[in-house]
Amino acid sequence: YQANYRTNIYGQLLTTTNDFVVEIVPIFETPDYNPLVWNGVATEEPAIVDGVMNLYTPAQVAGLAKMVNEGNQLRGVTIKLNNDIDLGNAVWTPIGQVEGAKYFGGTFDGQNHTIRNLNAVGTESAGLFGALVGTVKNLKIENATVSSNHFAGTITGWLQNTDEIGTGTPAKVENCFVKGATVTSTPTQINGSYDNGDKAGGLVGYGYSCTIIGNTGIDLNVKGYRNLGGIIGYLNTGAARPSQMTGNQVNNVTITQDMTHNYKPIKPGTLVGGQRGDGLTPDNFGPKNTVSGLSYVFQNWTANDFADFTGLTLPNVNITVDNFNCNTVKMVLFGNNVAKVTNSTFYKSAENNFPTNDLRQGIDVYIKNYTQLIIDKCDFQSSWQYSVLVQTDNSTPSASVKITNSKFNNWCRQDEGKSFQNICTAVKIFDIANICQTEADRLAYAKELILNSGNTFDAEYLKAWGLLNLTQSNGVRFVYNIADVTK
């Protein structure tokens, strides 16, 4: 016998006069197997009855994947999920493959059941589904990891209507819910050059002539090189069947753009977005998609150029810049942001002859309303004017500006014959209420920056120029050096 299995007694034992003692021991209270957790191996091909396939176990879901990946698109078949399923974080081969046109063309109705612990791995596309030309609806997915070199999305990596004339059932993802997903598209080498690492989204990776409607995503992390979005990585459309994307919402989504292999090349902050990474303009799919709790992370960029994030740092949008090696980072912070610049090196562009104001600083931040700016472990090797400039529009907002563990060298360069000696400092902060307005606030900030935050300043330039310029909205400035904070 086995725990939780039925034991049948047949034959003469049923009519014997012997006494039987049946003992229920504690082991029977805990199953020694769980039929709803996948072991990563088992497959069972589900039956199709009257055009309907019912799924009850993970093995049957894996059997569905096997059928589709062997070429059965299941067009006209409705698949119903009748239980919550746990895929046990075992490596999952997505349902459908872009390679070989092995699409899923049926209707998958999750019936509001949940698939947990998805670990989808693919090369060209990945998700619970790899290539979808049919419909997925009423499905919940929790705790998912999706990895691909190209199309990647929690529900499907690739969603496209393949019907050229626009008839039949459109490719659709509707009324689905995703919570706790990490979706990654990684560039790969092809004939010695890098490509892909693109079209990754919290729900869908790539869509063409498709419908994405009424879906929700919570706690999503999307990472790749380009075409990264909270809902979809890239959305396109066809003349016969225009794409529709409306009524979707994502909350607490982090989009990480890794520029290690900048093969295009593109600027940091391009081809990413809270809703989509590129494709159609908002007018094409309607404005009724919402994104909240959005954070961007930009990392690993090296270029003799500047990075401009002024178009991304909207209210309530957080931004992190990490491991950059470039001339300048520019931001505009509209309020309720946390902006971080860490582990980065900034230097003057050797090719530029006295650049414009846009390129005089290592970090140039414009603050509109209360925000937190954190600069940590940065190396300012040279700058035309200020290493760090924080300014406002004379609205005198309050803000937190913390600069720690950073090196300041060679600010206010004059090797092009231009001098700013009357105003040059390593750091300038303009018109921040709780930093610039009173002498007590100014002196406290100067002591913290110069003495207590692990920052170092080049000795030669320390003699020639000031360290900190705190300027009020009326233009009155106060310059601080080491002597001013050690009295």
Side-chain angles (χ1 to χ4, degrees), residues 131-196:
L132 174 63
V133 300
T135 295
V136 175
K137 63 182 181 179
N138 308 323
L139 176 65
K140 299 178 182 179
I141 299 177
E142 294 184 2
N143 188 30
T145 301
V146 177
S147 303
S148 176
N149 296 123
H150 202 180
F151 312 111
T154 307
I155 297 170
T156 182
W158 190 87
L159 176 67
Q160 180 168 337
N161 178 23
T162 58
D163 192 336
E164 296 284 347
I165 62 174
T167 60
T169 302
K172 180 188 295 186
V173 173
E174 181 179 11
N175 193 35
C176 292
F177 175 86
V178 174
K179 181 178 181 181
T182 297
V183 179
T184 304
S185 182
T186 305
T188 186
Q189 278 191 308
I190 301 174
N191 298 324
S193 300
Y194 279 95
D195 199 357
N196 298 331

Side-chain angles (χ1 to χ4, degrees), residues 225-292:
Y225 169 59
R226 60 187 173 96
N227 304 127
L228 313 173
I231 298 172
I232 186 171
Y234 190 99
L235 179 65
N236 212 333
T237 195
R241 187 182 295 280
S243 289
Q244 299 180 49
M245 189 173 104
T246 186
N248 304 285
Q249 54 183 327
V250 290
N251 179 43
N252 193 23
V253 54
T254 298
I255 298 175
T256 300
Q257 185 177 37
D258 188 339
M259 311 291 292
T260 300
H261 305 294
N262 193 17
Y263 61 83
K264 276 299 185 181
I266 59 176
K267 284 281 195 82
T270 58
L271 303 182
V272 298
Q275 294 186 28
R276 75 193 201 289
D278 202 357
L280 304 178
T281 63
D283 290 340
N284 292 104
F285 56 77
K288 297 180 180 179
N289 303 289
T290 59
V291 180
S292 58

Side-chain angles (χ1 to χ4, degrees), residues 121-137:
V121 178
T123 53
E124 183 66 12
S125 61
L128 178 67
F129 291 81
L132 174 63
V133 300
T135 295
V136 175
K137 63 182 181 179

Side-chain angles (χ1 to χ4, degrees), residues 83 157 184 244 297 306 364 382 405 430 450:
N83 282 320
T184 304
Q244 299 180 49
V297 177
F306 71 99
D364 188 344
S382 60
N405 305 308
F430 173 79
I450 297 172

